[in-house]
């Protein structure tokens, strides 16, 4: 009985820690704060006790790469890219059909091209393979759908990109998040909204993209990436 109580206490503390990480990730993402990302990712890396922990670390580090790019900090981007790949590799070693992990790996590989364009063909093909697995194994997984959609939206048409299919998938991902509990508290939901907005802009649907950005800002008025980059960029075009 004593050992059961200790186990239950450990599980409870682990869940509380992960909830706290979600709050810190959301704050770092919304503020686009490199220092805040560093603090939460360091704590997360020291608390990877389960596959779910590894997945969350892989996803958070992947999202932090975007902040590194916006800050033009290549060292930060490389560091979080390695962190994300390592965590996602561990998930995929245990489950090659893991939809979210495949999708996120697709995204990391896609971002790696920006750091080393010479690897565009190799990384691009690998990214597409993981995106296809994400879609095959995660038809109702919003994270997997977001990643697969991102691959289709950002990949040139001649290399397999498909903006229409990408928008269909990302809109489904948004709907799945919104059908869940408290999407406004989920950093992954805001990530999906930004990709939907960028996809609509790429498709020439400027006002629809604006509506998505304003929707995100209505929930998070200080969403830095949207407020200071995506929305002003839209107005300049």
């Amino acid at each position: 009985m004593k050992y059961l109580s200790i186990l239950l206490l450990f599980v409870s503390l682990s869940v509380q820690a992960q909830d706290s990480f979600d709050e810190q990730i959301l704050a770092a993402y919304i503020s686009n704060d490199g220092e805040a990302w560093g603090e939460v990712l360091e704590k997360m890396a020291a608390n990877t006790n389960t596959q779910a922990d590894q997945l969350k670390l892989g996803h958070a580090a992947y999202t932090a790469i975007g902040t590194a790019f916006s800050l033009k900090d290549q060292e930060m981007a490389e560091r979080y890219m390695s962190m994300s790949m390592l965590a996602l590799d561990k998930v995929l070693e245990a489950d090659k059909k893991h939809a979210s992990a495949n999708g996120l790996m697709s995204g990391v590989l896609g971002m790696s091209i920006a750091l080393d364009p010479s690897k565009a063909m190799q990384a691009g093909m690998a990214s597409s393979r993981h995106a296809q697995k994400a879609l095959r194994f995660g038809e109702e997984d919003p994270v997997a759908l977001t990643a697969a959609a991102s691959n289709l939206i950002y990949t040139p048409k001649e290399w397999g990109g498909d903006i229409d299919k990408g928008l269909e998938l990302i809109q489904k991902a948004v709907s799945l998040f919104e059908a869940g509990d408290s999407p406004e508290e989920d950093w992954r939901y805001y990530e999906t909204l930004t990709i939907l907005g960028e996809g609509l802009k790429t498709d020439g649907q400027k006002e629809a993209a604006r509506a998505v950005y304003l929707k995100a800002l209505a929930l998070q008025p200080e969403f830095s990436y949207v407020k200071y980059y995506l929305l002003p960029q839209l107005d300049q075009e």
Side-chain angles (χ1 to χ4, degrees):
M1 193 68 178
K2 176 182 178 181
Y3 295 112
L4 177 59
S5 297
I6 293 173
L7 177 61
L8 290 174
L9 176 62
F10 174 79
V11 171
S12 176
L13 291 174
S14 178
V15 170
Q16 290 177 29
Q18 291 304 316
D19 288 344
S20 175
F21 289 153
D22 281 329
E23 294 173 4
Q24 293 175 65
I25 293 167
L26 177 60
Y29 181 45
I30 294 301
S31 63
N32 207 43
D33 187 328
E35 185 174 337
W37 272 122
E39 291 177 1
V40 66
L41 288 172
E42 182 178 355
K43 294 175 186 176
M44 291 176 72
N47 287 275
T48 50
N49 302 306
T50 67
Q51 185 183 92
D53 295 344
Q54 291 286 2
L55 181 68
K56 184 174 290 187
L57 174 61
H59 193 163
Y62 159 70
T63 304
I65 297 169
T67 293
F69 282 160
S70 72
L71 298 175
K72 296 181 173 57
D73 189 333
Q74 182 168 335
E75 188 276 331
M76 176 182 171
E78 291 174 345
R79 182 169 71 253
Y80 293 150
M81 193 166 289
S82 296
M83 181 182 287
S84 182
M85 283 188 171
L86 180 61
L88 295 173
D89 271 335
K90 290 180 179 178
V91 177
L92 291 171
E93 283 174 6
D95 182 3
K96 296 184 184 302
K97 296 182 180 181
H98 197 294
S100 293
N102 271 295
L104 293 167
M105 185 63 82
S106 168
V108 176
L109 287 165
M111 283 185 164
S112 73
I113 297 171
L115 291 179
D116 188 354
S118 70
K119 297 181 180 178
M121 182 171 292
Q122 181 182 4
M125 291 174 64
S127 176
S128 293
R129 286 196 299 272
H130 281 289
Q132 290 165 10
K133 289 180 181 179
L135 188 55
R136 187 187 319 151
F137 303 126
E139 293 182 357
E140 299 298 321
D141 180 334
V143 172
L145 290 173
T146 296
S150 179
N151 180 267
L152 290 169
I153 289 169
Y154 296 123
T155 300
K157 186 175 181 179
E158 60 271 23
W159 290 359
D162 186 334
I163 187 69
D164 292 334
K165 180 64 174 177
L167 286 173
E168 176 187 333
L169 294 177
I170 198 71
Q171 286 165 341
K172 181 177 179 180
V174 169
S175 295
L176 286 169
F177 273 122
E178 292 178 344
D181 295 331
S182 304
E184 71 279 0
E185 299 175 7
D186 192 334
W187 52 281
R188 304 172 305 168
Y189 173 58
Y190 295 104
E191 186 173 52
T192 298
L193 285 178
T194 61
I195 295 173
L196 171 58
E198 291 183 65
L200 289 167
K201 184 188 74 172
T202 300
D203 194 44
Q205 300 184 54
K206 183 175 178 179
E207 292 311 310
R210 185 190 308 280
V212 172
Y213 295 152
L214 292 176
K215 177 179 180 178
L217 286 176
L219 295 170
Q220 291 287 348
E222 296 306 315
F223 194 169
S224 182
Y225 184 53
V226 173
K227 185 175 183 178
Y228 299 113
Y229 181 75
L230 293 180
L231 198 54
Q233 184 184 61
L234 190 66
D235 289 329
Q236 291 171 5
E237 296 180 357

